[in-house]
Amino acid sequence: MSGQCASGQSWPERSEPGRSGPGRSGPARLVRSVCAAALVGAAVLALPAAPVHAEPEPDPAATGTLGLPDAPNVPDASHTPDGPEEPTGPEGPAGPEATDPDPNPAPDPDEDASLRRLLTRLQDLYRRTEQATEAYNATEEDLKTQRKESQDLNIRLARARTRLADGQADAGRLARQQYQGGAAAGLSTYLRMLLSADPREVLEEGHLFKEAAGSQAATVARLTGNEKRADELAKAARAALDEQQVLTERRREQRDAVEGRLKEVEELLSTLSEDQLAELDRMEQQGTDEAQRSLLSSGKLGATRTPSASGDRAVRYGLRQVGKPYVWGAQGPGSFDCSGLTSQAWSHAGRPIPRTSQEQWRQLPHVPLRALRPGDLVLYFPGATHVAMYLGDGLVVQAPRPGARVKVSPIASNPLLGAVRPDRG
């Protein structure tokens, strides 16, 4: 049911909520009042227009924006008394709220300094993580050596115990022989010659007795020596086992240290936004570029030389590993740490080298940077805790750090210590 005005426009009739019966006449009366007002308005519009004099607007300076004497003097956003009206466009009036932000805002010096401190902290954590990794690798190599020594000692101890058992059997036979012929053996050779019907036979027996006595003495000496040797080997085997247990415990502690460092890195990175991570990468790359330019301009790096045959094979192996993940303690084939990559590259080139970066630096011949050729190893940081392989043209291939992948980098991507050549001479 609906009410309708003279103009023909209609509204749906609604009842007030919570009411029924006679209360429904309220909306009908409202509709009739609206219709009547519309008819009066139409009659007024039909009369001749009379001039209307507008009253002057109140002075904003005297009455305030709202025209009230006590209202605060807040500028009206739609009125600018001190200048011409600003043009409007499809996106609304130009003004502080409509202007676009500066696309190149000035960097915040405090935030920049904070990010640089954060980058330094991250780089220190990465360095300490790799230092712990190389310590773990060294202990792992010592443990392998100790296990082999323990195995060798156990084999030698088993053989010594076998010889000891054989000597004890010989000693038992000697004891039985002495018991069975004790009476005759107790007489002197002179008395037996007097009592014997054939003195010549006694002399021959004496010669045999001497030989038997010599054999007995040798058997006893061998038995004594075997007992001593077996005892020494048993002590060495126990000491080797103790050392193996010490190394195993040390390796466990170093493993925990590496994992603790990695957890610190993960926790620190988890607090950063994508923009902060991108800015850290930019800062790090900027530092690497500056270090590389400084090195190249210093003249310390010579021209690229021709690699040796084994150096070329090592380089080719290293480049085939690009893209594989860094995993601490790994030496292939699916992942590597820094020294795992370099040791495996040279192993595949036919020249086994030490497993860890510290031992590579300590044992291999050193070469100046000016004489570098592809395949040489470049060591970083004072403790030789990182290593990469030189490719030529100021580039290295490396397994850089946890969370990264094997890649080609500028040689100055880390603080240089020096270089070694696995196949010198």
Side-chain angles (χ1 to χ4, degrees):
M1 180 177 180
S2 63
Q4 189 166 7
C5 297
S7 63
Q9 190 174 3
S10 62
W11 298 268
E13 188 174 306
R14 295 176 295 175
S15 61
E16 296 182 19
R19 299 183 64 181
S20 61
R24 297 183 60 181
S25 61
R29 287 196 300 271
L30 177 60
V31 169
R32 286 194 293 272
S33 299
V34 171
C35 289
L39 291 175
V40 173
V44 173
L45 291 174
L47 296 176
V52 178
H53 300 284
E55 295 183 2
E57 295 181 2
D59 184 3
T63 62
T65 303
L66 300 178
L68 300 175
D70 298 331
N73 187 16
V74 180
D76 188 353
S78 63
H79 182 65
T80 54
D82 296 332
E85 183 178 356
E86 294 186 4
T88 59
E91 298 181 358
E97 297 181 357
T99 56
D100 293 332
D102 186 356
N104 298 308
D108 184 351
D110 292 338
E111 183 179 1
D112 186 72
S114 177
L115 283 174
R116 290 193 180 280
R117 288 193 297 270
L118 187 60
L119 178 60
T120 300
R121 172 64 175 157
L122 269 174
Q123 289 173 336
D124 182 65
L125 278 175
Y126 283 131
R127 183 178 64 83
R128 291 175 181 272
T129 300
E130 198 157 41
Q131 185 177 11
T133 296
E134 289 302 289
Y136 173 89
N137 291 338
T139 301
E140 178 68 16
E141 291 302 301
D142 290 342
L143 189 55
K144 289 179 182 178
T145 302
Q146 194 63 48
R147 284 171 179 161
K148 187 176 185 306
E149 181 179 347
S150 296
Q151 290 174 354
D152 292 343
L153 284 170
N154 288 332
I155 291 172
R156 292 164 62 189
L157 178 60
R159 291 172 179 171
R161 285 172 172 168
T162 299
R163 290 192 294 268
L164 179 59
D166 293 342
Q168 289 171 340
D170 292 341
R173 285 194 296 272
L174 288 175
R176 288 191 297 273
Q177 290 173 0
Q178 289 177 351
Y179 176 78
Q180 292 170 355
L187 296 176
S188 67
T189 303
Y190 176 73
L191 290 176
R192 282 189 289 115
M193 287 180 65
L194 291 177
L195 297 174
S196 174
D198 189 354
R200 188 183 306 171
E201 182 180 354
V202 173
L203 291 174
E204 290 178 355
E205 288 180 355
H207 177 69
L208 293 176
F209 279 139
K210 287 181 179 180
E211 289 182 353
S215 177
Q216 291 174 358
T219 299
V220 171
R222 187 169 62 250
L223 176 62
T224 304
N226 286 340
E227 288 178 343
K228 183 178 179 181
R229 184 60 178 161
D231 183 60
E232 291 174 351
L233 288 172
K235 290 179 180 179
R238 285 194 296 270
L241 181 60
D242 291 342
E243 180 64 20
Q244 182 175 330
Q245 292 173 344
V246 169
L247 290 172
T248 300
E249 179 62 21
R250 183 188 305 167
R251 184 185 62 169
R252 185 191 65 77
E253 293 174 354
Q254 291 167 341
R255 179 200 63 202
D256 294 344
V258 174
E259 292 175 347
R261 298 292 184 192
L262 289 174
K263 187 176 180 181
E264 286 185 71
V265 172
E266 292 172 359
E267 289 176 350
L268 184 56
L269 292 176
S270 67
T271 65
L272 304 179
S273 66
E274 292 295 330
D275 290 342
Q276 288 175 318
L277 291 173
E279 181 63 16
L280 286 177
D281 287 341
R282 186 195 67 77
M283 286 182 174
E284 187 173 35
Q285 186 60 48
Q286 183 182 27
T288 297
D289 293 342
E290 291 175 357
Q292 185 77 356
R293 283 193 298 269
S294 176
L295 176 64
L296 295 179
S297 63
S298 69
K300 295 179 180 178
L301 196 64
T304 299
R305 299 166 178 258
T306 302
S308 65
S310 55
D312 182 67
R313 289 194 294 270
V315 166
R316 291 178 183 275
Y317 177 89
L319 289 175
R320 287 197 299 270
Q321 313 314 312
V322 169
K324 293 183 179 180
Y326 179 108
V327 174
W328 66 273
Q331 46 185 336
S335 57
F336 297 88
D337 61 19
C338 68
S339 58
L341 176 64
T342 54
S343 61
Q344 284 301 304
W346 275 98
S347 178
H348 280 74
R351 171 73 168 90
I353 63 174
R355 166 66 175 91
T356 66
S357 58
Q358 291 96 335
E359 288 304 303
Q360 290 169 6
W361 173 249
R362 188 176 71 85
Q363 296 186 30
L364 300 179
H366 291 205
V367 293
L369 295 180
R370 188 182 298 276
L372 277 178
R373 70 185 186 193
D376 290 345
L377 304 184
V378 182
L379 283 300
Y380 298 93
F381 302 108
T385 54
H386 184 68
V387 62
M389 186 163 56
Y390 191 59
L391 301 177
D393 297 325
L395 300 175
V396 295
V397 62
Q398 62 169 335
R401 65 189 182 200
R405 294 180 178 273
V406 177
K407 66 177 182 178
V408 175
S409 307
I411 189 175
S413 56
N414 291 296
L416 282 161
L417 174 63
V420 295
R421 178 165 295 164
D423 62 341
R424 186 172 181 176

